[in-house]
Amino acid sequence: MKILDSAQAAAFKEFVDAHEAFLIVGHKDPDGDCVASSLSAAAILKAFAKECVLINAGPFKRPEIRQFESQFTDQVPFLSQADRKSCGLIMVDCSEFSRLGDFGQALKGFDTFIVDHHKTAETPDGAKAIIDPTSPAAVCLFTMLYEALVGQPDPETAKIMFLGLSTDTGFFRFLREDSAPVFELAARLVRYGANPNKMYNKITGGKPYSTRKLLGLLLTKTELYCNGKLAITYETMEDTKNYGQEGRDSDLLYTALLSVEGVEAAVFLRQETESSCTGGLRSLDDIDVSAVAAKFGGGGHKNASGMSVDGKIATLIPQIVKEFSRVL
């Protein structure tokens, strides 16, 4: 992870100073990092007496973020032309308007600042940005922005920041030998008031029983491809109806699949509608799943990416296997 430099902090502060109010928005189907980054951005704005509205299309299905749902709206507030000119847009944990949900198009045209860490991130025309693919979580960038511009976060803000860092790093198990700066940042958050033990229990506990039933079902559906290097499983609309209404434990699913001897990449597909699917891709070591996700209009990190794509599971699986055969 690179250390945020003074020029980046100054650019963000200049953006804050240039507007009276802000819209803060993250990608749909938010995770801990997306929510923590949104709330951290709001904390910075609050320190400078700036008004903001937190927007997210949801759903807030993950147990560890459900408590924050009431702080967000899934509607873009109506703004006059004059208000739009004085309002800044801060996009967190993504850089594509298409990933924001149905209201993505309505947010184009605002003066925009993006803070993201995905390898596939690109800066839209006219937008300002801090994009660092070496950062394991977008909230790391907001933590450093807060420290540079405001000072030491209060304990509650530190806990929220630690939540985002913990979820996007798989509670630090995804980090590699060059991750000393990340652990140093985590140590600062602990000094500020975060509790690793309580956070781990918060992230891993409280799962509905139905998610365990769904996990078992998904494991039974798993098939191996590419000489046993690729594991693919899927969730039908009927599966979602029967077991997925209260959420799912995708992290445990990926952990189970990638722990199989010989497996280097895992894919989880979910049929969202009759004509569309979402997919999660995970990998070990040097396998770049973001390159595969990009072929289907998605993206993300080298070892963790996602996608939303038109089609049905039965036709998508052969296409996905074909793309993975190029990299496995």
Side-chain angles (χ1 to χ4, degrees):
M1 179 182 74
K2 298 175 183 176
I3 304 301
L4 193 80
D5 61 43
S6 58
Q8 290 172 309
F12 188 80
K13 180 59 163 57
E14 183 179 354
F15 183 79
V16 171
D17 290 340
H19 301 88
E20 297 300 320
F22 297 84
L23 302 178
I24 300 173
V25 61
H27 58 78
K28 61 183 178 181
D29 193 15
D31 55 10
D33 186 29
C34 180
V35 169
S37 295
S38 297
L39 294 170
S40 297
I44 294 173
L45 296 176
K46 181 180 179 181
F48 291 103
K50 301 287 186 175
E51 296 182 0
C52 67
V53 176
L54 292 160
I55 305 174
N56 197 285
F60 287 70
K61 286 191 173 182
R62 294 169 173 82
E64 65 270 18
I65 63 171
R66 206 167 289 153
Q67 63 175 306
F68 303 112
E69 182 175 7
S70 62
Q71 299 184 48
F72 291 77
T73 177
D74 60 1
Q75 302 293 321
V76 177
F78 173 78
L79 296 173
S80 67
Q81 195 62 32
D83 288 338
R84 287 178 68 93
K85 289 183 178 180
S86 64
C87 184
L89 176 68
I90 299 176
M91 288 176 59
V92 309
D93 202 30
C94 73
S95 62
E96 303 88 1
F97 286 94
S98 60
R99 293 191 64 207
L100 302 180
D102 293 339
F103 50 65
Q105 291 297 318
L107 292 172
K108 289 185 176 181
F110 284 93
D111 191 17
T112 302
F113 201 110
I114 293 168
V115 179
D116 192 12
H117 70 126
H118 292 98
K119 182 180 179 181
T120 53
E122 296 181 359
T123 306
D125 292 341
K128 306 166 187 68
I130 298 173
I131 297 176
D132 180 12
T134 70
S135 178
V139 79
C140 291
L141 302 173
F142 279 108
T143 300
M144 290 185 285
L145 281 172
Y146 194 105
E147 291 173 321
L149 300 177
V150 182
Q152 177 176 316
D154 62 84
E156 288 307 310
T157 301
K159 291 173 185 177
I160 290 170
M161 291 170 171
F162 196 82
L163 167 66
L165 175 59
S166 299
T167 53
D168 248 31
T169 60
F171 215 83
F172 306 102
R173 71 182 188 275
F174 300 149
L175 299 179
R176 301 177 184 273
E177 64 275 3
D178 58 352
S179 300
V182 183
F183 283 101
E184 290 164 359
L185 184 146
R188 295 200 302 275
L189 291 175
V190 172
R191 285 198 297 271
Y192 299 153
N195 184 313
N197 175 262
K198 289 184 177 179
M199 187 59 66
Y200 181 82
N201 291 334
K202 183 183 186 66
I203 294 171
T204 60
K207 309 292 186 184
Y209 176 66
S210 60
T211 65
R212 277 19 191 180
K213 298 280 285 187
L214 180 59
L215 177 63
L217 180 62
L218 296 177
L219 289 174
T220 64
K221 290 184 175 186
T222 303
E223 297 290 345
L224 299 182
Y225 302 87
C226 299
N227 296 318
K229 296 180 179 180
L230 172 65
I232 299 181
T233 189
Y234 61 88
E235 178 182 323
T236 66
M237 293 174 67
E238 185 67 18
D239 296 335
T240 303
K241 179 182 177 181
N242 290 337
Y243 304 111
Q245 298 294 327
E246 297 181 90
R248 53 192 52 76
D249 197 346
S250 300
D251 187 55
L252 188 57
L253 173 66
Y254 294 127
T255 299
L257 296 179
L258 290 173
S259 68
V260 175
E261 183 179 7
V263 170
E264 298 179 15
V267 176
F268 167 44
L269 290 174
R270 183 165 68 245
Q271 193 78 49
E272 299 286 0
T273 70
E274 293 291 346
S275 59
S276 67
C277 291
T278 56
L281 301 82
R282 300 292 186 272
S283 66
L284 302 173
D285 301 325
D286 295 327
I287 306 303
D288 187 354
V289 292
S290 70
V292 176
K295 295 291 185 180
F296 298 90
H301 308 289
K302 177 181 177 181
N303 299 120
S305 292
M307 61 188 188
S308 296
V309 60
D310 293 335
K312 293 182 178 291
I313 289 171
T315 56
L316 283 172
I317 288 179
Q319 298 174 40
I320 291 170
V321 173
K322 180 179 178 180
E323 292 300 329
F324 266 102
S325 67
R326 305 177 194 274
V327 297
L328 289 175

